[in-house]
Amino acid sequence: MPAPLPHEHLPSVPALVVESDDIQDGERLNDLHVFNDWGMKGGNQSPHLRWSGAPAETRSYAVTCYDPDAPTGSGFWHWVLFDIPASVTELPAGAGTGPEFKVLPAEAVHARNDYGTKEYGGAAPPPGAPHRYVFTVHALGVDKLGVDSDASPAVVGFNITANTLARGHVVPTYST
């Protein structure tokens, strides 16, 4: 039985619609979105994301990518981005990595992922069964989350959960 998705144990909130030109529920990630290290030869590029249906009181967003199937006992955080202004409802492909950071609003903050970097880190599962990559957009009721970029994904996640008004996700897979 697969591990539960991270939102399955959280308080229920209204759903956002999350769409992408690059990824789809249950479909295999393109190599563009795979890590480029640890024996992987991907593009390490974050996918395009677009969302709608946020409550009127939304004051900011957070975007996360989590692998609940990683053999760590605690999953693996691939992307933790927060303090995205409420006026932003779309991120282009590559917004989470390298020189494309320039497309992010100045207020947006990357926290460390489980690779130890402050950016999107692509899929890199060990050989075997497919892993799920849960790309979640969280509509938040605060302008600023109140944590800095050195916070762990768990601390950022705690603060996201405490301030979430709505959330939605898209869950592609990847295996080697």
Side-chain angles (χ1 to χ4, degrees), residues 55-142:
E57 56 274 16
T58 299
R59 295 174 56 194
S60 69
Y61 294 99
V63 173
T64 59
C65 177
Y66 176 74
D67 172 2
D69 304 313
T72 64
S74 60
F76 197 93
W77 290 97
H78 288 264
W79 197 13
V80 183
L81 178 65
F82 59 95
D83 290 353
I84 302 167
S87 61
V88 175
T89 58
E90 187 168 11
L91 294 176
T97 44
E100 295 301 322
F101 279 169
K102 66 182 178 255
V103 303
L104 290 174
E107 303 89 342
V109 177
H110 270 108
R112 287 181 292 113
N113 58 34
D114 282 339
Y115 291 115
T117 62
K118 295 177 183 178
E119 62 184 347
Y120 169 80
H131 285 225
R132 296 165 294 165
Y133 294 87
V134 184
F135 288 85
T136 304
V137 178
H138 313 260
L140 306 176
V142 294

Side-chain angles (χ1 to χ4, degrees), residues 118-168:
K118 295 177 183 178
E119 62 184 347
Y120 169 80
H131 285 225
R132 296 165 294 165
Y133 294 87
V134 184
F135 288 85
T136 304
V137 178
H138 313 260
L140 306 176
V142 294
D143 293 320
K144 300 288 181 189
L145 206 51
V147 296
D148 68 26
S149 65
D150 289 324
S152 70
V155 169
V156 176
F158 176 84
N159 285 279
I160 287 172
T161 300
N163 291 287
T164 295
L165 303 173
R167 81 174 64 83

